[in-house]
């Protein structure tokens, strides 16, 4: 009986030990592969943290000598761009990226994992992946605006000689796969659909703004939406394939053929801030005239219908939406709402905050001149 037990233990050990060794070897190889461009002990440690959730979330992010003016969420950490460069912190407060570069008008864009940094009017787009590696794409023309979709494809709007701008699409390998030139309107911005098949381009015309839809299979326009005497400040593809457009006067929803479906008018107010298509809704903040201190928030679903509206006598400094929540920074504090504008949390702010960043997991980051504070 004892011999059978011993034989059984010996057989199990011959199976378990090699299997465990194989798993460890594969894990090490994957760890090295992930950090191939930066095979340091520090990089390995950061990767293991992200895999196993080791450590506690940072309470503050110190920028050092950089004084950022543009921010975005990256992997529940923060990306920040300044006139002297850009930095990325992971959620544990470790500095993943710290690059010095001179930028007159720094901008950061992010899809939550991949981020892009550029100088508006410059030529270089710096692309940072979720492992902290940086690649650069150098345009032969000045960058006007850049966007990135959920798949990590970038859309670059540039100036162009003999044209009124051009749009270049980079795939997730950062290779140019599509380009068109505009001859009938100055290119302001462009957005790529999440399936990487359709493109919206905002063009400034003598009569207002046109939003033109293209297919990446053709340079011919698929639909054109003309907004007379209005300036489009943002556009997105909605959850039902519709097109959402925010102008300085209204929020519009059109179908894929360019036919109007819904319109929410706020032309009596001034648009102060906005966030488009966060988990099926958009949020805008508006202010009244100088003689009227009122401000208001409004949330709209991706079919263009009003979800909720709320007036306030407070001055709104900044707004940010992420996941199911909206962070609103006032001059005297910060409030977190859900998309129905029901108050969830309030915070007192005493560090001279000038911007707020809402994470998808409900964490709020409040930024000031030299640091960002993380709120629960």
């Amino acid at each position: 009986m004892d011999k059978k037990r011993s034989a059984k233990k010996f057989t199990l050990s011959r199976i378990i030990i090699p299997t465990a060794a194989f798993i460890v070897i594969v894990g090490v190889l994957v760890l090295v592969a992930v950090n191939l461009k930066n095979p340091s002990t520090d990089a390995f440690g950061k990767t293991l943290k992200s895999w196993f959730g080791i450590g506690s979330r940072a309470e503050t992010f110190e920028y050092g000598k950089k004084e950022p003016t543009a921010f975005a969420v990256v992997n529940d950490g923060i990306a920040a761009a300044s006139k002297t460069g850009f930095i990325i912190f992971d959620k544990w407060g470790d500095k993943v990226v710290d690059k010095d570069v001179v930028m007159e008008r720094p901008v950061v864009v992010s899809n939550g994992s991949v981020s892009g940094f550029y100088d508006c009017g410059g030529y270089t787009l710096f692309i940072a992946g979720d492992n902290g590696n940086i690649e650069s794409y150098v345009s032969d023309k000045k960058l006007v605006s850049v966007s990135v979709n959920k798949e990590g494809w970038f859309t670059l709007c540039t100036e162009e000689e003999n044209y009124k701008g051009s749009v270049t699409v980079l795939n997730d390998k950062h290779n140019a796969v599509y380009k068109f030139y505009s001859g009938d309107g100055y290119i302001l911005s462009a957005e790529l659909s999440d399936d990487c098949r359709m493109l919206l381009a905002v063009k400034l015309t003598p009569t207002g703004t046109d939003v033109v839809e293209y297919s990446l299979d053709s340079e011919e326009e698929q639909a054109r939406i003309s907004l007379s005497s209005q300036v489009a400040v943002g556009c997105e593809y909605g959850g039902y394939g519709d097109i959402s457009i925010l102008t300085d006067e209204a929020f519009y929803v059109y179908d894929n053929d360019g036919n109007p479906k819904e319109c929410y008018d706020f032309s009596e107010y001034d648009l102060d801030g906005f966030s488009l298509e966060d988990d099926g809704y958009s949020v805008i903040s508006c202010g009244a005239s100088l003689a009227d201190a009122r401000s208001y928030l409004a949330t709209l679903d991706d079919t263009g219908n009003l979800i909720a509206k709320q007036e306030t006598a407070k001055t709104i400094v900044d707004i940010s939406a992420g996941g199911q929540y909206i962070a609103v920074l006032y001059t005297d504090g910060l409030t977190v709402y859900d998309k129905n504008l029901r108050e969830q949390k309030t915070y007192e702010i005493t560090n001279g905050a000038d911007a707020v960043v809402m994470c998808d997991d409900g964490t709020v980051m409040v930024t000031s001149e030299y640091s960002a504070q993380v709120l629960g």
Side-chain angles (χ1 to χ4, degrees):
M1 192 72 176
D2 291 335
K3 288 182 179 180
K4 288 183 178 180
R5 287 178 180 173
S6 298
K8 191 172 183 180
K9 289 180 180 178
F10 181 68
T11 302
L12 287 174
S13 66
R14 285 197 304 173
I15 296 172
I16 293 171
I17 292 174
T19 302
F22 176 75
I23 292 172
V24 170
I25 291 170
V26 170
V28 171
L29 290 175
V30 172
L31 185 64
V32 172
V34 168
N35 296 280
L36 193 60
K37 294 186 179 181
N38 182 23
S40 64
T41 304
D42 185 50
F44 291 160
K46 291 175 181 177
T47 301
L48 289 171
K49 275 185 179 181
S50 66
W51 284 357
F52 299 106
I54 303 170
S56 57
R57 186 164 194 158
E59 295 182 356
T60 58
F61 302 104
E62 300 290 341
Y63 306 140
K65 294 182 179 180
K66 293 181 174 65
E67 300 176 19
T69 56
F71 308 90
V73 175
V74 180
N75 296 319
D76 294 329
I78 191 169
S82 74
K83 289 189 174 183
T84 58
F86 56 88
I87 49 180
I88 300 177
F89 292 93
D90 64 22
K91 65 187 294 185
W92 297 282
D94 293 321
K95 195 177 291 185
V96 180
V97 169
D98 188 352
K99 184 172 181 61
D100 294 329
V101 58
V102 177
M103 296 186 286
E104 286 297 316
R105 292 183 289 171
V107 183
V108 55
V109 295
S110 172
N111 67 356
S113 57
V114 177
S115 52
F117 303 85
Y118 69 99
D119 184 11
C120 184
Y123 295 88
T124 304
L125 170 66
F126 297 96
I127 302 172
D130 55 8
N131 56 4
N133 294 329
I134 303 174
E135 297 183 29
S136 59
Y137 179 89
V138 180
S139 170
D140 58 350
K141 303 298 180 183
K142 291 182 179 180
L143 297 171
V144 175
S145 65
V146 174
S147 65
V148 57
N149 75 350
K150 289 184 178 180
E151 297 300 317
W153 289 43
F154 284 84
T155 305
L156 283 62
C157 300
T158 60
E159 296 181 357
E160 198 71 41
E161 294 177 4
N162 302 320
Y163 290 93
K164 295 180 179 180
S166 65
V167 178
T168 301
V169 176
L170 308 181
N171 63 14
D172 55 355
K173 305 298 182 184
H174 313 142
N175 298 317
V177 295
Y178 180 81
K179 186 169 185 175
F180 81 86
Y181 299 88
S182 176
D184 61 350
Y186 291 97
I187 297 290
L188 298 180
S189 63
E191 297 287 338
L192 187 66
S193 62
D194 288 338
D195 62 8
C196 306
R197 296 174 57 191
M198 305 299 293
L199 178 73
L200 295 173
V202 178
K203 299 182 179 184
L204 184 64
T205 69
T207 59
T209 304
D210 285 0
V211 177
V212 185
E213 184 178 41
Y214 295 87
S215 167
L216 264 60
D217 296 329
S218 170
E219 292 185 18
E220 299 295 325
E221 64 180 60
Q222 307 298 305
R224 178 178 289 259
I225 300 166
S226 295
L227 303 164
S228 299
S229 304
Q230 297 182 53
V231 177
V233 297
C235 61
E236 291 280 351
Y237 283 99
Y240 300 97
D242 294 331
I243 299 170
S244 302
I245 302 172
L246 180 65
T247 76
D248 56 341
E249 296 183 5
F251 180 87
Y252 297 95
V253 174
Y254 291 80
D255 64 21
N256 274 333
D257 295 322
N259 300 311
K261 295 180 67 175
E262 293 290 341
C263 173
Y264 177 74
D265 186 281
F266 53 86
S267 55
E268 295 182 1
Y269 292 82
D270 295 325
L271 179 67
D272 289 333
F274 64 92
S275 180
L276 296 181
E277 294 300 337
D278 289 281
D279 282 7
Y281 71 96
S282 298
V283 57
I284 61 174
S285 67
C286 296
S289 64
L290 292 176
D292 189 344
R294 290 176 304 142
S295 298
Y296 84 82
L297 294 167
T299 53
L300 303 110
D301 64 24
D302 53 12
T303 64
N305 291 311
L306 182 69
I307 299 173
K309 176 181 173 181
Q310 176 178 289
E311 288 195 359
T312 176
K314 299 180 179 180
T315 301
I316 297 174
V317 177
D318 191 30
I319 66 169
S320 176
Q324 292 295 311
Y325 299 102
I326 305 158
V328 182
L329 180 63
Y330 299 103
T331 53
D332 63 347
L334 183 145
T335 302
V336 176
Y337 303 93
D338 63 15
K339 64 181 180 181
N340 294 298
L341 296 181
R342 293 181 297 222
E343 187 176 303
Q344 304 296 303
K345 296 180 181 178
T346 59
Y347 301 93
E348 292 184 2
I349 305 297
T350 59
N351 64 345
D354 50 21
V356 63
V357 180
M358 187 81 223
C359 301
D360 287 347
D361 64 357
T363 304
V364 187
M365 303 183 195
V366 181
T367 70
S368 57
E369 190 174 8
Y370 299 107
S371 66
Q373 180 183 2
V374 180
L375 306 175

